[in-house]
């Protein structure tokens, strides 16, 4: 019913509270983005603890947004060259997902074309995840989402080996988030929570957590955007993000995620916003398949469906883009072939999918 092998430390000062569990090897490979590890303050705090625990490290920074498969292979080579024996990811979903892929690539000597071949994923190295955004929940999922730059194709894979051993979630690390990332990543978390009730693999025992996570976002997202330094609002959003991660770790993502991928790969639209562009449409699309769940959710939130959409539409999510008929057809193929579709409670007909895609066309 439920599998989550990650030990979670949550709240202020989590890194220090997690100290007894931090020593997972002799030399850590720290995977991070361009500057989030520094801006968030997480790297400084981590290096102090590593020095105290006498753990050596190598820093691999510069992971870009929507990490690409060649970066993973360069990371694998750097990991092996440095003689590391475990990994610590600091950052948003991009560095965390890159670290997971580097980890299996190094442990199984995978080449770029083999990253998605799960039968080759036989062993891993221990991984610690320290998120600095409140969106992906990647610190508690077994997924890594990568982009193949040659084909401009974004796709995820999942394997139990990719679960972090330890997740350290401190809302202080999120205070430095720019407004756009604060919004977009929260919308990603909201998508995960909703997918936890749409999915064919949904786990009803998780509904109380899912409903609570959505409540946290409803109450705290507007507040966080108004008061970015409000630590309580950040903490609530970080909790919602973890609950969203737990939900998709069990239930998987759905068409809600698959439909956004081409819009990220081709227009550079952030992952959270790519979900947000379709959030209302997807809720309407799955209305019948998740009728009881959505009714129970709205009762819990004390809001009706239209009230929920009005809440959502206070944010700038209705982005429109220009694309050709040819592009639409090729993306529709890609979306229908995505792994996420397997857990979708309603498989769209080609025509329905194209209509959904039309909703964001300029
Ligand atoms: P992200 O791509 O990791 O980061 C977005 C931007 O925010 C980057 O410019 C980053 O800077 C910056 N940033 C991050 N934390 C910051 C902080 N505390 N202060 C200032 N700037 C900060 O964003 P994300 O939304 O967290 O991750 C999106 C990725 O995760 C997508 O590729 C998506 O597909 C994936 N995802 C994975 C899962 C999963 O379960 N594995 C689930 C959903 C989504 P830097 O460049 O300096 O880091
Ligand atoms: Fe996501």
């Amino acid at each position: 019913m439920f599998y989550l092998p990650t030990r979670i430390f949550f709240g202020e000062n989590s890194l220090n509270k997690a100290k007894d569990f931090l020593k997972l090897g002799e030399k850590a490979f720290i995977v991070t983005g361009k500057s989030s590890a520094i801006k968030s303050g997480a790297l400084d705090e981590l290096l102090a603890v590593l020095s105290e625990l006498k753990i050596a490290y190598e820093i691999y920074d510069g992971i870009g947004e929507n990490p690409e498969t060649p970066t993973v292979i360069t990371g694998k080579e750097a990991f092996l060259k440095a003689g590391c024996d475990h990994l610590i990811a600091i950052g948003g979903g991009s560095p965390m997902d890159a670290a997971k892929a580097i980890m299996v690539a190094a442990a199984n000597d995978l080449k770029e074309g083999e990253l998605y071949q799960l039968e080759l994923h036989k062993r891993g190295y221990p991984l610690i995840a320290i998120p600095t955004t409140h969106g992906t929940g990647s610190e508690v999922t077994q997924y890594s989402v990568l982009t193949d730059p040659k084909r401009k194709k974004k796709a995820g894979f999942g394997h139990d080996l990719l679960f972090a051993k330890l997740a350290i979630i401190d809302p202080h690390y999120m205070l430095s988030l720019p407004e756009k990332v604060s919004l977009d990543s929260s919308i990603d978390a909201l998508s995960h929570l909703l997918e936890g009730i749409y999915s064919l693999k949904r786990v009803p025992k998780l509904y109380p957590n899912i409903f609570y996570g959505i409540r946290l976002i409803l109450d705290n997202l507007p507040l966080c955007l108004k008061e970015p330094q409000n630590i309580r609002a950040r903490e609530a959003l970080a909790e919602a993000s973890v609950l969203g991660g737990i939900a998709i770790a069990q239930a998987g993502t759905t068409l809600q995620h698959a439909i956004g991928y081409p819009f990220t790969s081709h227009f550079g639209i952030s992952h959270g916003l790519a979900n947000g562009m379709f959030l209302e449409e997807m809720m309407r699309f799955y209305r019948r398949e998740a009728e009881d769940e959505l009714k129970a959710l709205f009762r819990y939130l004390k809001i009706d469906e239209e009230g929920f959409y009005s809440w959502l539409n206070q944010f700038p999510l209705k982005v429109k883009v220009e694309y050709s008929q040819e592009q639409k057809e090729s993306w529709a193929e890609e979306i229908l072939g995505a792994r996420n579709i397997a857990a979708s409670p309603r498989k769209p007909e080609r025509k329905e999918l194209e209509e959904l895609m039309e909703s964001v066309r300029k």
Side-chain angles (χ1 to χ4, degrees):
M1 178 185 75
F2 198 96
Y3 180 61
L4 178 62
T6 306
R7 188 183 295 275
I8 303 172
F9 283 84
F10 183 88
E12 295 174 56
N13 203 25
S14 284
L15 185 61
N16 280 307
K17 290 186 200 142
K19 231 186 252 173
D20 290 348
F21 299 91
L22 258 167
K23 193 155 172 79
L24 296 180
E26 300 302 322
K27 187 168 184 186
F29 193 64
I30 301 176
V31 180
T32 185
K34 294 189 176 67
S35 61
S36 51
I38 297 167
K39 285 190 193 140
S40 63
L43 185 63
D44 269 356
E45 287 188 19
L46 176 70
L47 295 187
V49 174
L50 293 185
S51 142
E52 199 183 317
L53 297 175
K54 301 198 175 10
I55 300 173
Y57 62 86
E58 175 86 11
I59 297 182
Y60 186 70
D61 56 8
I63 300 287
E65 286 180 43
N66 306 300
E68 298 187 338
T69 43
T71 313
V72 170
I73 299 306
T74 320
K76 161 199 150 177
E77 282 153 10
F79 175 94
L80 294 171
K81 186 161 172 243
C84 293
D85 53 12
H86 66 294
L87 301 92
I88 305 179
I90 308 180
S94 298
M96 288 192 283
D97 285 6
K100 291 174 179 179
I102 291 171
M103 180 260 274
V104 275
N108 302 285
D109 194 19
L110 302 180
K111 297 181 190 54
E112 193 180 333
E114 295 173 336
L115 290 168
Y116 290 90
Q117 293 180 31
L118 299 183
E119 68 282 6
L120 301 178
H121 297 200
K122 302 234 188 289
R123 56 188 76 81
Y125 288 103
L127 168 73
I128 298 173
I130 308 181
T132 62
T133 63
H134 35 67
T136 71
S138 179
E139 66 278 11
V140 290
T141 75
Q142 69 282 46
Y143 308 121
S144 171
V145 187
L146 304 174
T147 298
D148 173 350
K150 284 192 228 94
R151 292 189 297 151
K152 280 205 167 215
K153 189 171 174 217
K154 187 172 168 84
F157 59 96
H159 195 293
D160 284 355
L161 284 167
L162 300 190
F163 275 115
K165 288 268 168 298
L166 192 62
I168 298 171
I169 305 137
D170 187 330
H172 274 115
Y173 301 153
M174 298 157 191
L175 290 174
S176 54
L177 279 174
E179 183 177 356
K180 182 163 171 31
V181 186
S182 300
L183 171 63
D184 294 0
S185 66
S186 304
I187 296 296
D188 188 23
L190 179 59
S191 315
H192 299 159
L193 290 159
L194 287 168
E195 288 173 283
I197 59 177
Y198 302 149
S199 166
L200 285 178
K201 296 191 284 171
R202 57 196 168 200
V203 180
K205 284 252 184 290
L206 286 177
Y207 292 173
N209 282 345
I210 290 175
F211 290 4
Y212 177 63
I214 295 176
R215 165 96 273 158
L216 289 174
I217 295 178
L218 251 68
D219 289 348
N220 290 281
L221 179 54
L223 177 63
C224 170
L225 297 177
K226 209 161 110 221
E227 298 174 20
Q229 295 303 311
N230 186 323
I231 188 72
R232 292 294 148 243
R234 293 286 185 191
E235 186 173 55
L237 293 173
E239 186 172 358
S241 168
V242 177
L243 295 174
I246 291 174
I248 57 165
Q250 311 306 317
T253 53
T254 63
L255 175 63
Q256 162 71 73
H257 260 63
I259 198 169
Y261 288 166
F263 294 88
T264 296
S265 317
H266 292 269
F267 299 99
I269 292 173
S270 80
H271 171 67
L273 183 56
N275 283 325
M277 287 162 76
F278 292 102
L279 208 97
E280 180 178 338
E281 299 299 327
M282 289 312 309
M283 207 174 221
R284 293 185 193 277
F285 185 74
Y286 286 143
R287 198 197 263 135
R288 251 181 306 140
E289 287 67 25
E291 193 180 4
D292 292 347
E293 284 77 8
L294 287 170
K295 272 194 188 143
L297 171 67
F298 295 134
R299 251 196 324 273
Y300 172 88
L301 296 174
K302 298 194 177 57
I303 194 171
D304 62 14
E305 188 178 345
E306 292 308 317
F308 188 88
Y309 298 144
S310 312
W311 176 88
L312 198 60
N313 287 325
Q314 70 183 291
F315 307 113
L317 303 175
K318 299 254 156 149
V319 174
K320 305 265 179 194
V321 287
E322 263 178 73
Y323 55 82
S324 67
Q325 186 63 20
E326 217 174 47
Q327 281 175 310
K328 184 169 78 178
E329 284 170 15
S330 114
W331 300 341
E333 276 305 307
E334 190 180 311
I335 294 165
L336 289 170
R339 286 179 198 226
N340 326 48
I341 294 287
S344 222
R346 175 175 168 197
K347 311 278 180 289
E349 298 295 330
R350 177 70 182 246
K351 197 168 154 287
E352 288 173 319
L353 176 59
E354 292 193 8
E355 274 166 24
L356 284 166
M357 294 166 78
E358 280 295 332
S359 69
V360 302
R361 192 169 185 174
K362 212 181 250 173

